[in-house]
């Protein structure tokens, strides 16, 4: 299959009444989805634990190895009024041994999909840091303008 989405991080509101949240994030393995809860009032963050706070499932009707993952809250979820940040983290491993004589096109396709997903994760990280780099450049320019002899 081709990977049709590079979305690696997204945020959803959590009110406490949701029974299923579509993340829109494509994962090869549901365990690649990480979830952080942020309390709206205190801004405290909690990394949620799969199997304790939530479970996941491939989106209904999904048949491909790399498919969108849905989030299903469990009873141990934190109190309402918060946000959930979903992040895909695809491990950088390559388990194939193509020299063994056992060539499985599906396994090769899975590894190519994993590479595409990791590229999407890196692109998202680079886009997230760009505003910080822009702000630092502007600050540097301001400091240089205020103290020309110290540059």
């Amino acid at each position: 299959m081709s990977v049709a989405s590079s979305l690696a991080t997204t945020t959803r509101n959590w009110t406490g009444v949701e029974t299923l949240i579509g993340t829109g994030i494509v994962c090869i393995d549901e365990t690649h989805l990480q979830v952080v809860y942020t309390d709206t009032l205190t801004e405290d963050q909690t990394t949620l634990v799969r199997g304790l706070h939530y479970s996941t499932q491939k989106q209904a009707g999904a048949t491909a190895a790399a498919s969108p993952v849905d989030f299903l809250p469990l009873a141990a979820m934190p109190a309402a009024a918060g946000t959930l940040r979903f992040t895909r983290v695809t491990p950088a491993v390559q388990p194939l041994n193509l020299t063994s004589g056992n060539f499985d096109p599906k396994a090769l396709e899975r590894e190519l999909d994993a590479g595409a997903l990791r590229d999407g994760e890196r692109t998202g990280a680079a886009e997230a840091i760009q505003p910080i780099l822009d702000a630092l450049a502007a600050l540097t320019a301001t400091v240089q303008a205020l103290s020309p002899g110290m540059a």
Side-chain angles (χ1 to χ4, degrees):
M1 89 153 249
S2 60
V3 177
S5 172
S6 62
L7 179 69
T9 301
T10 190
T11 303
R12 301 282 190 264
N13 290 327
W14 167 249
T15 66
V17 299
E18 295 85 357
T19 58
L20 182 144
I21 298 174
T23 67
I25 295 178
V26 173
C27 295
I28 289 176
D29 188 313
E30 297 169 36
T31 63
H32 297 172
L33 188 69
Q34 297 179 353
V35 186
V36 174
Y37 164 81
T38 303
D39 185 293
T40 303
L41 298 176
T42 65
E43 296 187 13
D44 289 339
Q45 293 188 340
T46 304
T47 299
L48 302 182
V49 177
R50 187 172 189 268
L52 173 65
H53 298 108
Y54 68 95
S55 66
T56 55
Q57 68 183 21
K58 295 285 180 135
Q59 194 173 68
T63 58
S67 299
V69 174
D70 290 335
F71 171 88
L72 297 101
L74 300 176
M77 276 292 291
T83 58
L84 299 172
R85 185 179 71 243
F86 300 98
T87 304
R88 180 188 64 236
V89 179
T90 307
V93 296
Q94 198 290 88
L96 295 180
N97 178 359
L98 298 177
T99 61
S100 68
N102 297 325
F103 179 74
D104 181 1
K106 288 184 180 183
L108 182 58
E109 181 178 36
R110 177 183 165 100
E111 294 311 308
L112 291 170
D113 288 350
L117 293 172
R118 284 190 296 273
D119 286 346
E121 291 160 18
R122 284 190 291 275
T123 299
E127 290 170 353
I129 201 168
Q130 190 58 51
I132 296 167
L133 296 174
D134 293 343
L136 285 173
L139 180 60
T140 301
T142 301
V143 168
Q144 289 173 343
L146 294 175
S147 9
M150 299 183 72

